[in-house]
Amino acid sequence: MASSPCSSGNFDSGLEIKTRSVEQTLIPLVSQVTTLINHKDKPKKSERTQQAIQRVGQAVSVAVGRFVAVGEAIAVENEELKEEMGMACFEARRAGDAIAQLTEVGTAVAPPVDGRTTVFSDRTGMVKAARMLLSSVTKVLVLADRIVIKQIITSRNKVLVTLEQLERVSTFQEFVQIFSQFGNQMVEFAHLTGDRQNDLKDETKKARMAAARAVLEKCTMMLLTASKTCLRHPDCESARINKDAVFHRMRFALQQVIEIVTDTRPCGETKVLPLSIYTGIKDFKSNVEGLREGLYSLPHQALSGQLDAVVERTEDFTDSAYTSHEHREGILQLSQLARQDTDQLIAAWMEAHSLNAREATEEMELSILKTCQSVYELRRELHKVAVGRAADLLKLHAEHLPLRALKASGGEGNLEAVAEYARTLGEQKEQLVETCRLLCHVSGTEPLEITCIHAEETFHVIGPQIISAAQTLALHPSSKIAKENLDVFCEAWESQLCDMAVLLREINDVFEGRRGDKRAYLSLPRPGKHSANLKTVKAVKLDAEEQSTIAKLGLELRLLTSDVDTEVEKWEDQEHDIIRQGQSMSSMAYSIYLFTRGEGLLKTTTDLFHQAEVLSEEGLQLCSSLHTFSTKLMDEEKVVVLSEMEKLMGLCQQLQMGVRTPVQGKTATFQKVDSSIQNTRAIITVMIYLLPVCNKLVRKYKSERSSLGSPQSWRDRQSSTAIKDDVLNGKNSNGFGVKSLEQHMANFTFLESK
C-alpha cells in the first residue's frame, strides 16, 4: 500500500493514495488534527491556548463542511458514486462536528486550578473523531479521483470511435471533417493524461505514461500523412501496410494509458519488467551485505543462484556480434572473478554456521567486501560497454545517411536502390534495438528501464514503417503526399535518436551518483515581483500541431541544458558566481523544456512568459559577473569573453522585450511562445561556449597564481590563443554536438490540390 500523510499521525484510511494532489490535500488536515491530538498530552492550558485550540477545531469543522459540500455535488453528478460518496461525506461531516464540539472551551469538566482550566477530557473521543475524519476525507478524495479516471476513459473512448471512423473513410472531404474532430479529441486527451502523469506518485507509472503519450504524440502526425497517402493511392499495398501499422500502434498506446490510470490489465494478467542486470546485481549485493545482520537468513544456494542468473544475462553482451573481443574477454573474466569471490564467501559462511557463530566472522567480512567489489567491477564494465556502444552509434548515425538515401532513391522511383538502402536501415535498426536492450540492463532505475524499452520498441516499429513509406514513394515518385509521409516517419526516427542521447546522459547521471531527474526550478515569479510590465492576459492552450512544433524546440533545449550541466560539473569552484547563475539559468531552461512536453510547473503560456522573463534577468546578472571577471584577463582573453558577453546581453534583452510585449489572439500567442523558446535556446547556446572558456581561464589563473605568487602575473603571461580559437571555431568540450532540429521541420500540407 502506498504511504499517505495519515501514516505520520498513526492514522490509516485503508485506501491507497496514488496521486500527489490527494496527498497534498490531506497534509494540512493531518497537521491540524495532529496539533489537536498533541495538545491532549498537556492537561493544563492557559485561556489563550484554549482559545487557539478552539479556533483550530472550528477551522477544521468549517473546512470539512465546505469540502463535503463539494463531495456531495460530485455525488449528484455521478450516479455510480452517489451512495459511497454520500456515506463518506456523512462520516466526514459528523467527525468534523465532533472535533468542533470536543474543542469547545465550554466542554471543560474539571474545576479551575491555579487560574487554568483542564480541557479535552474525552481524549478517546478526540482520537476516534480524528481517525474517522481522516478516513472519510481520504475516501472522498479517492472517490473524486475516480471521476478524473472516468474522464480519461471517456476521452479515450471518444478517440477510439473517431479512430475507427478515420480508418474507414474513402474520400478526402470526409477525412478532413473527421480528422478535425479527432485532432480536438486528441488535444483534450493529451491535457487529461498530461495532468494525470504529473499527479502520479509512482515514478514507474509516470515513466510508462510518458512513453505511451510520446507514442500518441508522434503517431498523430503519422496517422495524418499515412491516411492521406492511402486515400491518394488506394491500390498501393505498401501504403496500406504503412497506415495499418500506425492505427495498430495508436490503439495499443491508448490501451496502455487506460491500464496505467486504472491500474489493471486485461484478463487479470500482470505486467512484469524483464529483470535487468542492474536489478539482479543490486538484489544480490543486498543479500550479501545482509549476511552481516543475519547469518541464517537464507540458504547458501540462494546466493549462488542469484549470481548465476546475473551472469546468464551478461550473455546479451558477450553473445552480441557488435561486442569487441576485448570487451567480451573483460566481461567473462569479471564474471569468473565474481563467481570465485562468491564461492569463497559461501565457504566462510558455511564455516561460521558450523561454529554456530552469532555474527559474521573476520574471514566472512573480508569475503563480503571482496564479493561486493567484484560485482561492482562487473557492473562498471557492462555500463562502459553499453554506454560506449550507444555513444558510438549516435555519432555514426548523426548524419542520417540511410534516410537521406531512401528519400532520394524513392523520389527518383528507383525501387532497387530503395531495397538496398532498406537493408542498410534494417541493419541500423537491429544495432539500435540491441543497444537499447543493453542500456536497459545498466540503466540504474526502473523508470529509465521503461524509457529504454520504449526506445527499443520505437526503433523496432518505425524502421519497417520508413521502408514501407519509401516503397510507396518509389512507386509514386511524383506524389507530394507520399513524399510528405516519408518525411514524417524519418523525422520520428531522428527524434528518437535525439531522445536516446538524452537517455544516455540520464543513465550516466545515475551511474555517477547524480539522479537522472533534474531538480525543478521552483522560484516561479509571484504576482507583482517580476511581472510589473506584464499585462494580465488570458492563458492560451496550444493545439496538437503547435505543441508538436514547440516540442521539437524543447527537445533541443533539453540537450543544451544537459551540455550546460556537463560543463558546470567540470568547475572546481561550484560557488563561483558564473557557475551559480549558469546553473540557475539551466534549471529555468529545463522548466521551459518540460512545458514543451506538457509537464512540470509551467502550465500555461502566461507561466512560460513569466519564467522566460526571470531567465532573462538572471542572464543579465551573469553578464555583470562576466564583465567583472574580464577585468582580470589580458587583452586577447578579455576580447573573447566580452564578445560572447555582448551576444548574451543582446539575447537576454531581446527575450525580455519579447515576453513583455502584450499580444492578442491564438496565432500571435503561439508566435510569442515560439520566439521565447528560440531566444532561450540561443542564450543557453552562448552559455555552452562561455563556460568551458571561463573554466580554463579560472584554472589558468589559479595555477599561475599558485606558481608565481602574484595575481598580476596572470595577465602578463602568454596569450590564450588556443582558447580563443576554440571559441571562434565553435568547438565545444561536450561529447555530443547539438545540431539544429529546424532543418527537420517539414511544412506539412493538409491536402494536395493535384
Side-chain angles (χ1 to χ4, degrees), residues 82-129:
K82 189 171 184 178
E83 184 176 348
E84 279 187 279
M85 183 70 85
M87 180 59 69
C89 288
F90 172 77
E91 290 176 355
R93 192 188 297 277
R94 187 174 65 173
D97 292 343
I99 286 176
Q101 184 178 359
L102 287 166
T103 53
E104 283 285 348
V105 176
T107 60
V109 294
V113 179
D114 298 329
R116 296 174 181 269
T117 304
T118 303
V119 297
F120 296 144
S121 60
D122 187 5
R123 189 180 196 284
T124 303
M126 173 60 73
V127 173
K128 183 178 179 181

Side-chain angles (χ1 to χ4, degrees), residues 53-212:
I53 295 172
Q54 183 177 7
R55 286 195 298 271
V56 172
Q58 290 172 344
V60 169
S61 180
V62 170
V64 169
R66 292 173 181 166
F67 177 81
V68 166
V70 175
E72 289 171 341
I74 291 174
V76 171
E77 296 172 0
N78 298 271
E79 188 66 31
E80 70 277 15
L81 297 179
K82 189 171 184 178
E83 184 176 348
E84 279 187 279
M85 183 70 85
M87 180 59 69
C89 288
F90 172 77
E91 290 176 355
R93 192 188 297 277
R94 187 174 65 173
D97 292 343
I99 286 176
Q101 184 178 359
L102 287 166
T103 53
E104 283 285 348
V105 176
T107 60
V109 294
V113 179
D114 298 329
R116 296 174 181 269
T117 304
T118 303
V119 297
F120 296 144
S121 60
D122 187 5
R123 189 180 196 284
T124 303
M126 173 60 73
V127 173
K128 183 178 179 181
R131 286 183 181 278
M132 180 185 294
L133 178 63
L134 292 171
S135 176
S136 55
V137 167
T138 302
K139 188 166 187 179
V140 171
L141 287 168
V142 172
L143 288 172
D145 190 59
R146 288 190 198 170
I147 306 302
V148 178
I149 295 173
K150 178 184 174 183
Q151 289 175 335
I152 294 174
I153 294 172
T154 301
S155 179
R156 188 283 305 255
N157 291 341
K158 289 179 184 177
V159 170
L160 277 179
V161 170
T162 313
L163 200 62
E164 291 179 4
Q165 293 173 351
L166 278 175
E167 201 168 15
R168 295 195 301 267
V169 297
S170 56
T171 66
F172 269 111
Q173 184 177 5
E174 185 183 7
F175 176 78
V176 170
Q177 293 173 347
I178 298 175
F179 190 84
S180 177
Q181 178 186 353
F182 175 76
N184 292 331
Q185 291 172 347
M186 284 301 296
V187 169
E188 177 193 0
F189 190 70
H191 287 317
L192 289 171
T193 54
D195 291 342
R196 187 67 178 181
Q197 178 183 323
N198 289 331
D199 201 21
L200 287 169
K201 290 175 59 181
D202 189 305
E203 293 298 324
T204 301
K205 289 180 181 177
K206 288 180 77 167
R208 288 177 60 204
M209 180 73 88

Side-chain angles (χ1 to χ4, degrees), residues 701-739:
Y701 169 76
K702 184 177 179 181
S703 173
E704 295 187 359
R705 182 175 58 181
S706 61
S707 61
L708 300 175
S710 171
Q712 184 62 31
S713 63
W714 184 31
R715 298 191 57 177
D716 301 330
R717 299 286 288 177
Q718 58 188 357
S719 66
S720 57
T721 307
I723 296 176
K724 180 179 178 182
D725 289 344
D726 281 356
V727 174
L728 297 179
N729 292 331
K731 294 181 181 178
N732 197 357
S733 59
N734 55 65
F736 298 103
V738 180
K739 294 180 176 293

Side-chain angles (χ1 to χ4, degrees), residues 653-663 672 675-676 679:
Q653 291 170 343
Q654 184 178 342
L655 175 61
Q656 199 170 65
M657 291 175 60
V659 297
R660 288 178 175 177
T661 302
V663 295
K672 183 175 176 180
S675 173
S676 299
N679 283 333

